[in-house]
Amino acid sequence: MHDLIPLAAILSLFVGLPWLIFHYVTQWRKSGSLSIQDENLLDELHDLARRLDDRLATIERIVAADNPAFRRPETERLADDAQDDHVFDRIAERRRQR
């Protein structure tokens, strides 16, 4: 009986531990990227956010036309007011080109 304890310890170290590590590494690699459904959902959400952003910009232009004193603070400017492209726009464009 006492001879089985060292044998079990050695087996668990040299068989069980590497198996456990390789199992979780494989699971991590499989789930390391987004699924096609998740990518499509992100694309839809991105398009919806762009449309909402455009609507808000339109409302702000209407309010600014009606009230000349209205002006957005610099910190609240929308992303499309910036001159450079947004990272997500470039990613979405690459996906559309595929």
Side-chain angles (χ1 to χ4, degrees):
M1 182 73 173
H2 295 287
D3 295 333
L4 292 177
I5 293 173
L7 181 62
I10 290 172
L11 279 176
S12 65
L13 281 176
F14 291 105
V15 175
L17 189 59
W19 177 84
L20 188 66
I21 290 170
F22 287 131
H23 170 72
Y24 283 108
V25 166
T26 304
Q27 294 297 320
W28 173 69
R29 286 186 180 169
K30 277 198 271 188
S31 66
S33 63
L34 294 175
S35 69
I36 300 298
Q37 293 171 340
D38 291 339
E39 287 183 8
N40 291 338
L41 179 61
L42 283 175
D43 286 340
E44 289 176 23
L45 291 174
H46 182 260
D47 291 339
L48 178 63
R50 280 284 158 209
R51 289 197 323 257
L52 291 173
D53 192 32
D54 292 341
R55 289 177 184 173
L56 183 59
T58 302
I59 290 171
E60 288 175 344
R61 280 195 301 270
I62 292 170
V63 169
D66 288 345
N67 182 5
F70 174 78
R71 203 173 71 153
R72 290 184 297 176
E74 286 293 321
T75 58
E76 293 182 12
R77 296 214 181 253
L78 300 175
D80 66 343
D81 291 341
Q83 297 299 321
D84 57 340
D85 278 350
H86 198 268
V87 173
F88 297 119
D89 293 335
R90 291 187 295 240
I91 293 171
E93 185 62 32
R94 287 184 197 144
R95 286 188 185 137
R96 286 186 198 110
Q97 290 175 355
R98 289 184 195 167

